[in-house]
Amino acid sequence: MKQIRIAQPTGLDQLTLEDVAEPGQPGPGEIKVRLYASSLNYHDLGVASGNMPAAPGRIPMSDGAGVIDAVGEGVSEFQVGDAVVSCFFPQWQTGPVPVQDFSGTPGDGIDGYARDVVVTPAQWFTHAPKGYSHTEAATLTTAGLTAWRALVVEGGLKAGDTVLTMGTGGVSIFALQLAKSMGARVIATSSSDEKLATLKAMGADEVVNYRTHPEWSEQVQALTQGRGVDQVVEVGGPATLGQSIRACRVGGHISLIGVLTGFDGQIPTGEFMLKQQRLKGIVVGSREHQQAFIAALESTGVKPHIDRAFALADLRDAFEYEISGQHLGKIVVDYTL
């Protein structure tokens, strides 16, 4: 089978395609999955580029979708032929958050899914949504589940709420689609008028160009008649969090899920306190969250927006395309190409 490892020293030019022996049959409680797709996330780029240190020779990619080839003794949840999708935190099955690092995350602390076949404990995967292709399912593990947890699990989204999304990355597009499917109003931002037009076509009710309007929170306030939005899906980090606080209503919810502008910065704590808002750090979700998310996708019919597909052998090109910022939605890796 084929797989990609990150040779040393790390860096995109160290992504090495290998031919290796296929793993054997699954043991008790395990499944053997033939993988057909993965998708790119900011976290995967960090590992592959060396900005997020990983062990020498790590197999990258946290997202994996495919079909079960074999099941081990005692596995009753899955059958041979089932379409499945991986979990970002295999050790977080249900309940309160038990993790504070990526030591157990595939593609970071342990080997990931840039390979044709894996044998893992059965609970490391869930069923994929019915009617989804493998490339569509591969977008759910990280980006899709993050948007779901931010809006629904932590934010308590309900019909009639107003949601602010930022940019056109995978999480933001999923948030737009999920919010609209649940009856919310969406205000979306981008620095590109062309991308804003696409966001409008995808259902955004209002759009704001943050390059044209550097104080974009003022535009958001005007669009909500001075009330502010109910939820913000905050992907920028320190350079945008202050404006997110200003754009959000009194008692509103801000999901901090990205650090695209850095890891440290100033926060208008006085304004945040007076507005009595909730700020929640979000890093993907549990297996139970993923199962609820998939049930919602099957009910609403929401499908991910895929920008472009690359072959596994072209993973470096895929990351360079991600770095370019040209994409809108998800970049996927299709192992059948």
Side-chain angles (χ1 to χ4, degrees):
M1 71 171 194
K2 295 188 181 302
Q3 66 181 26
I4 287 184
R5 286 191 183 274
I6 308 171
Q8 296 298 305
T10 57
L12 295 184
D13 58 347
Q14 299 298 315
L15 293 172
T16 304
L17 184 66
E18 303 175 334
D19 282 302
V20 298
E22 186 174 303
Q25 292 302 299
E30 294 181 332
I31 55 176
K32 183 177 184 179
V33 180
R34 189 162 301 275
L35 296 164
Y36 290 103
S38 185
S39 74
L40 275 64
N41 301 285
Y42 181 72
H43 180 260
D44 299 305
L45 175 60
V47 172
S49 65
N51 291 327
M52 295 180 182
R58 176 66 69 232
I59 298 173
M61 308 307 288
S62 296
D63 300 357
V67 173
I68 292 184
D69 265 6
V71 298
E73 180 184 352
V75 175
S76 58
E77 184 177 357
F78 300 108
Q79 297 179 351
V80 172
D82 285 350
V84 292
V85 59
S86 64
C87 297
F88 186 87
F89 287 124
Q91 70 275 45
W92 184 14
Q93 294 288 298
T94 187
V97 182
V99 292
Q100 62 177 356
D101 57 33
F102 302 114
S103 59
T105 297
D108 190 329
I110 59 177
D111 283 336
Y113 298 114
R115 46 181 161 166
D116 289 331
V117 180
V118 294
V119 173
T120 74
Q123 65 269 23
W124 286 25
F125 282 77
T126 70
H127 289 280
K130 295 179 177 65
Y132 263 49
S133 68
H134 296 307
T135 50
E136 289 171 336
T139 68
L140 306 180
T141 295
T142 304
L145 185 55
T146 298
W148 170 262
R149 184 179 164 212
L151 291 174
V152 180
V153 178
E154 306 294 348
L157 181 70
K158 61 185 184 299
D161 282 353
T162 300
V163 174
L164 174 66
T165 64
M166 302 168 62
T168 55
V171 175
S172 298
I173 296 297
F174 261 117
L176 164 61
Q177 294 176 298
L178 290 171
K180 291 302 298 180
S181 75
M182 298 177 70
R185 178 191 183 203
V186 175
I187 301 173
T189 71
S190 173
S191 62
S192 163
D193 286 337
E194 182 180 357
K195 287 184 176 181
L196 288 173
T198 302
L199 292 174
K200 285 281 284 186
M202 295 180 68
D205 297 277
E206 307 286 351
V207 294
V208 177
N209 187 316
Y210 63 78
R211 183 166 293 164
T212 305
H213 302 283
E215 296 299 317
W216 48 264
S217 59
E218 296 177 358
Q219 302 298 120
V220 175
Q221 282 288 334
L223 290 169
T224 57
Q225 291 73 52
R227 178 178 181 270
V229 299
D230 297 286
Q231 289 200 50
V232 180
V233 181
E234 164 60 69
V235 301
T240 55
L241 183 54
Q243 293 218 51
S244 289
I245 290 170
R246 297 182 188 103
C248 192
R249 69 167 172 84
V250 173
H253 181 85
I254 302 171
S255 293
L256 179 60
I257 62 173
V259 288
L260 296 178
T261 63
F263 294 93
D264 298 293
Q266 293 184 335
I267 299 174
T269 51
E271 186 172 359
F272 176 71
M273 179 185 68
L274 289 173
K275 296 185 83 171
Q276 301 182 70
Q277 295 166 337
R278 291 175 295 143
L279 176 63
K280 178 74 174 185
I282 304 286
V283 183
V284 198
S286 69
R287 186 174 192 260
E288 183 180 38
H289 293 151
Q290 183 161 307
Q291 290 170 318
F293 171 42
I294 288 172
L297 292 174
E298 292 179 338
S299 176
T300 61
V302 169
K303 288 287 190 79
H305 183 87
I306 294 176
D307 182 282
R308 187 173 170 186
F310 290 80
L312 180 61
D314 297 326
L315 184 58
R316 176 183 174 181
D317 293 339
F319 280 123
E320 289 177 342
Y321 181 62
E322 181 181 21
I323 292 170
S324 76
Q326 300 176 53
H327 61 289
L328 190 150
K330 292 298 294 179
I331 304 167
V332 298
V333 184
D334 185 341
Y335 297 2
T336 68
L337 295 177

